[in-house]
Amino acid sequence: MDFLTSFPQMDEDHLRALKKMIDEAFRGLTRAYGDSIEAFFNPLLHFLIFSEKMMTQTPWPIVLLVIGAIAWVASRSAKIVISTLLILLLIGYFGMWDDTMKTVSMILVCTILSIVLGIPIGVAMAKSRRTQQIINPILDVMQTMPSFVYLIPVVMLLGIGKVPGLIAVIIYAIPPIIRLTNLGIRLVDAEMLEAADAFGSSGWQKLKNVQLPLALPTIMAGINQTIMMALAMVVIASMIGVQGLGQPVLKAISNQYFTLGMFNGLAIVGVAIIFDRVSQAFGKRLQKHLEVIHG
């Protein structure tokens, strides 16, 4: 009966020895290659610092004009532009401008890196069933593992700071763009591919001229989801040194500052609304444009 009521477990001494062996191996890796790993990520740190300085040191009216222009080009909607500017003006009025710009710079860098890494991986998955079978379980783990768990190896390798936070955000946020790039390319009409073959297109030409353009609305949906997930990680990433709106929220949680937490939480929501509305409007415009081109 004892066998049925208590699950059979590894001997405690063996389990302790196994954990100790893994911990010592990881510590040995960080001691041996920690400096090389930090040097590898130095360009990323410089890119992040440059982006942050550009957002925080540029006069706020110029930032507003640039963001408003981007919103107009992407959406062609006066309503979206006006709501974007109003949200940013309210954020500035309540004294959260610098933290918001730091958060926006982090999200921009994260999104750019996610696009650069995610789209090629999604294309590789669409082109090869074997690659898809290998990468899908990795994406499942990335999406389901609690974010606090993969903060541990990142912090042990790189310490506390901007780069570990950025890597943690990317790990959490990149799966949607990979999955939706793969899906978008796989959903391209076979007749379009046959027509491209009939014109003698190479594999690269088919990808560049047919598959990626037709998959763009789906890819844009993936980018939208990546941005939303990156914003969801802002508070958690603040625990390992990422500056921005997450740090005041973390401070509010630790010290029970209700208004500080609410105001900065609402600022995060406002930034999320801006990114969401602008990217969705751009995706819809892109889809209509492609429908007109392809009849």
Side-chain angles (χ1 to χ4, degrees):
M1 290 298 293
D2 289 341
F3 177 77
L4 294 175
T5 54
S6 59
F7 200 88
Q9 298 178 358
M10 181 186 288
D11 180 77
E12 284 189 14
D13 292 334
H14 287 93
L15 182 59
R16 196 177 297 113
L18 176 64
K19 289 179 179 177
K20 186 178 179 182
M21 182 181 71
I22 294 170
D23 287 342
E24 287 179 353
F26 196 82
R27 288 192 195 101
L29 175 70
T30 56
R31 291 191 194 104
Y33 300 104
D35 292 339
S36 301
I37 293 168
E38 283 187 20
F40 177 78
F41 285 109
N42 265 341
L44 186 58
L45 177 61
H46 294 315
F47 181 36
L48 190 55
I49 291 171
F50 168 76
S51 171
E52 190 174 295
K53 282 183 177 178
M54 186 178 68
M55 295 298 295
T56 54
Q57 295 180 8
T58 303
W60 67 266
I62 296 174
V63 174
L64 279 179
L65 283 172
V66 171
I67 293 175
I70 292 169
W72 172 255
V73 170
S75 66
R76 290 291 196 274
S77 167
K79 184 180 176 182
I80 289 175
V81 174
I82 291 168
S83 60
T84 295
L85 295 178
L86 280 175
I87 288 169
L88 290 174
L89 285 169
L90 282 170
I91 284 170
Y93 183 73
F94 284 102
M96 298 176 288
W97 182 262
D98 281 349
D99 284 339
T100 300
M101 291 303 103
K102 288 174 184 176
T103 297
V104 169
S105 70
M106 167 67 76
I107 300 305
L108 286 174
V109 172
C110 172
T111 303
I112 290 167
L113 291 172
S114 295
I115 290 169
V116 170
L117 296 171
I119 290 179
I121 295 171
V123 170
M125 290 174 68
K127 295 291 184 182
S128 167
R129 188 174 295 275
R130 186 176 183 82
T131 304
Q132 181 173 250
Q133 289 172 346
I134 293 169
I135 293 177
N136 263 335
I138 298 171
L139 295 177
D140 292 339
V141 171
M142 289 166 69
Q143 287 188 293
T144 54
M145 183 180 287
S147 50
F148 289 102
V149 175
Y150 57 69
L151 286 179
I152 296 167
V154 172
V155 171
M156 286 183 72
L157 282 170
L158 296 166
I160 302 293
K162 297 177 187 293
V163 173
L166 181 65
I167 292 169
V169 172
I170 290 172
I171 291 171
Y172 184 77
I174 200 172
I177 193 169
I178 296 175
R179 289 190 188 277
L180 287 170
T181 299
N182 173 32
L183 178 65
I185 291 174
R186 286 181 179 275
L187 289 177
V188 171
D189 195 345
E191 291 180 2
M192 299 297 294
L193 298 178
E194 288 171 7
D197 286 331
F199 282 103
S201 299
S202 65
W204 166 247
Q205 287 172 328
K206 275 196 298 183
L207 177 66
K208 181 170 67 76
N209 298 326
V210 179
Q211 290 173 302
L212 283 177
L214 291 176
L216 262 179
T218 309
I219 294 171
M220 281 302 303
I223 293 171
N224 176 271
Q225 289 303 306
T226 290
I227 293 169
M228 294 301 104
M229 292 183 75
L231 276 164
M233 268 291 287
V234 163
V235 177
I236 295 170
S238 69
M239 298 178 68
I240 57 172
V242 174
Q243 295 181 332
L245 292 168
Q247 284 196 337
V249 173
L250 187 64
K251 184 181 177 182
I253 293 168
S254 304
N255 298 283
Q256 297 183 345
Y257 297 150
F258 176 76
T259 52
L260 180 68
M262 284 298 296
F263 277 31
N264 283 271
L266 288 171
I268 293 171
V269 172
V271 172
I273 289 170
I274 291 170
F275 275 113
D276 181 58
R277 295 294 181 269
V278 172
S279 60
Q280 278 197 14
F282 181 66
K284 287 176 182 175
R285 282 190 61 236
L286 198 62
Q287 192 165 11
K288 287 179 182 176
H289 178 67
L290 290 171
E291 285 172 357
V292 170
I293 289 174
H294 296 288

